[in-house]
Amino acid sequence: MAAQTIPHLALRFVAFLLISRGNSEAVTMEYENKLVLAPMVRVGTLPFRLLAADYGADITYAEEIIDHKMIKCERVVNEYIGSTDFVEKGTDNVVFRTCNQEKNRLVFQMGTSDAVRALKAAQIVCKDVAAVDINMGCPKSFSVSGGMGAALLTKPDLIHDILTTLRRNMDTPVTCKIRLLKSSQDTVELARRIEKTGVSALAVHGRKVADRPRDPAKWNEIADIVSALSIPVIANGDVFEYDDFERIKVATGASAVMVARGALWNASIFSPKGKIHWEDVKREYVRKSILWDNDVKSTKHTLKEMITHYSCLELPEGKALIKSENLADLAKVYGEEEYFRLVSDNRFSLNGH
C-alpha cells in the first residue's frame, strides 16, 4: 500500500466525485508555454490523462477515436463514477470517457477522411472538451488504409474541406496534428494552407511518415514551420526529460511542446521538480484506473508499455499482469486491494446503495 492513509484516500475520492459532478466554465484554450500530452491509442484514456495533468501537463489529448465509431454513440452521464461517457448505442461499450475536471484542457482527437462525418462526430462531443483535433499524422495501416491519419497529408483539398467544415459549424476550437512531408518547403506550404482554414493551433511531429521512432526528430524542420505561421505551433518529437521541453522550444520557437513516449514511460516527466520513480507513477496510474473504472484491457496495455521500457514481462509482475482479468486482479498485483475496496464502498454509499 502506498504511503497515503485510508482516511486521506477516502477524502480524496469524495473530492474527486464532487469536482467531477460540478459545473465548470468553458475557458479559451491557450497554447503559449504549455506542456502537452500527445494522443496515444489505448493509452490516452481518462486515468492516464488525469495522471499526466496531476504531474503538470497543461493540455491533454485523448486517444484517437475514429469518426465512424463516435457517430454510433450517445452521451450518458455516469452518476456511478461521476464521468461523462459516450456509449455505443445498444451496447455497454464506452467509446470515450471524460469528466468535468479535465474539460478545460482536454483535446478530443479524431480519425476521419470525410468532412460531413467529421462534423457529425465532433458535434456529439464538442461541448465536453476544450478542442477538437484531426489526426493527420498516424502512419499505422489501420488509419492510412481508411484514408485517415497520414493519408490526409497528400490530400490538401480534403484537409481544407474537413477543417473549414468544422470551423464554420462549431464554436469549439479546431486543431490538427501533422507529420513532416518529403521536403521542408512542402510541409511549410501545407501548414500555411492549414492556417488559412482558421484552426487555433497546429501540432507537428518532427518525423516523416516513413521514419521510425528510433530516427531522430527533425527539430529544424519544425522551426521552419514556426517561422512561416502566425498561429501557435506545438512541437513534438524526442522529448524524454523535463529539460527537453525547453530544448525543443528554444530550437524550434514553438509555442508549446508535446510528448508521447516520454510521458508513457514516466508521466511525471511533466513535473518541474523532476521525475519520481516509475514504480510510484505506475501505482498511481493503477489507482486512477480503479477510480475511473477504466477498461482493463487499456490499463493492462499501458502497464505493459511501462514495464517493458524498464524491465520485462517474464518477471513475476509481468506474468501476474498478463493473467489479470479485471481491475480487482490488478489491485492485487500492485498491492492496492484496500484502495479498490475503499473506492467500491464509497461508490455504493455515494450513490445511495
Side-chain angles (χ1 to χ4, degrees):
M1 184 68 197
Q4 300 177 79
T5 64
I6 292 302
H8 175 74
L9 289 171
L11 288 172
R12 191 178 71 160
F13 174 79
V14 174
F16 263 49
L17 264 289
L18 292 175
I19 291 170
S20 66
R21 289 173 180 178
N23 292 318
S24 58
E25 295 298 321
V27 175
T28 303
M29 186 72 97
E30 299 290 341
Y31 292 94
E32 196 62 37
N33 296 318
K34 301 301 182 186
L35 307 185
V36 186
L37 174 68
M40 290 181 278
V41 174
R42 298 178 70 190
V43 173
T45 53
L46 180 58
F48 197 84
R49 297 193 304 265
L50 292 176
L51 182 72
D54 279 356
Y55 289 125
D58 302 299
I59 299 170
T60 54
Y61 279 58
E63 62 171 341
E64 177 194 21
I65 305 290
I66 306 302
D67 55 5
H68 286 287
K69 197 83 169 173
M70 201 64 195
I71 60 180
K72 296 177 183 176
C73 292
E74 57 185 346
R75 182 182 185 274
V76 177
V77 175
N78 187 336
E79 295 287 352
Y80 186 63
I81 63 171
S83 65
T84 301
D85 296 347
F86 293 84
V87 183
E88 192 172 353
K89 294 173 185 175
T91 74
D92 294 325
N93 181 30
V94 178
V95 173
F96 178 60
R97 170 168 287 164
T98 182
C99 64
N100 276 334
Q101 68 209 67
E102 69 165 359
K103 180 177 179 180
N104 295 331
R105 64 173 172 267
L106 172 61
V107 179
F108 176 83
Q109 195 190 57
M110 186 194 316
T112 188
S113 60
D114 180 84
V116 174
R117 202 166 57 235
L119 177 60
K120 188 174 181 181
Q123 286 175 328
I124 293 170
V125 74
C126 65
K127 289 182 171 57
D128 292 288
V129 301
V132 172
D133 184 85
I134 303 301
N135 182 343
M136 300 182 184
C138 180
K140 300 288 178 65
S141 59
F142 79 87
S143 193
V144 175
S145 62
M148 302 176 290
L152 289 173
L153 294 174
T154 58
K155 301 174 182 177
D157 290 340
L158 180 54
I159 287 176
H160 181 270
D161 190 24
I162 292 170
L163 295 177
T164 53
T165 298
L166 293 175
R167 283 285 298 116
R168 289 170 182 165
N169 293 280
M170 295 196 310
D171 293 330
T172 308
V174 175
T175 62
C176 65
K177 184 171 185 279
I178 67 170
R179 281 187 174 234
L180 302 175
L181 300 181
K182 289 184 179 180
S183 74
S184 183
Q185 183 180 351
D186 289 343
T187 314
V188 168
E189 287 178 8
L190 178 64
R192 282 177 170 153
R193 183 156 187 184
I194 288 171
E195 181 178 40
K196 288 177 182 177
T197 66
V199 294
S200 298
L202 173 66
V204 182
H205 185 166
R207 290 184 174 86
K208 299 174 183 178
V209 175
D211 288 345
R212 300 277 69 88
R214 65 177 177 272
D215 296 320
K218 299 170 180 66
W219 290 2
N220 60 314
E221 294 194 28
I222 299 177
D224 292 341
I225 297 167
V226 173
S227 62
L229 303 186
S230 58
I231 60 171
V233 173
I234 305 167
N236 174 215
D238 288 351
V239 176
F240 301 111
E241 303 294 338
Y242 186 82
D243 289 347
D244 291 337
F245 285 120
E246 186 62 22
R247 287 180 57 241
I248 188 173
K249 196 168 181 299
V250 169
T252 63
S255 298
V257 179
M258 175 182 280
V259 56
R261 288 177 296 159
L264 170 59
W265 297 334
N266 190 325
S268 67
I269 188 176
F270 292 105
S271 173
K273 299 176 183 177
K275 288 180 185 174
I276 65 173
H277 197 281
W278 70 283
E279 293 283 4
D280 295 326
V281 175
K282 198 166 50 175
R283 281 192 293 271
E284 183 58 32
Y285 171 67
V286 170
R287 285 193 287 268
K288 278 184 163 50
S289 292
I290 292 168
L291 186 63
W292 294 102
D293 195 24
N294 197 45
D295 176 70
V296 69
K297 291 180 182 178
S298 165
T299 301
K300 286 175 65 174
H301 171 79
T302 303
L303 289 169
K304 286 177 184 177
E305 291 290 324
M306 293 179 183
I307 291 169
T308 52
H309 179 64
Y310 295 96
S311 179
C312 76
L313 293 172
E314 294 303 313
L315 297 176
E317 177 193 354
K319 290 180 177 179
L321 171 64
I322 291 168
K323 289 180 181 177
S324 296
E325 297 181 356
N326 49 48
L327 292 174
D329 290 343
L330 288 179
K332 290 178 184 177
V333 174
Y334 291 98
E336 297 294 343
E337 300 102 316
E338 189 120 30
Y339 184 77
F340 184 86
R341 179 192 60 76
L342 172 80
V343 169
S344 300
D345 291 349
N346 274 279
R347 199 168 273 157
F348 278 109
S349 63
L350 283 170
N351 284 278
H353 295 286

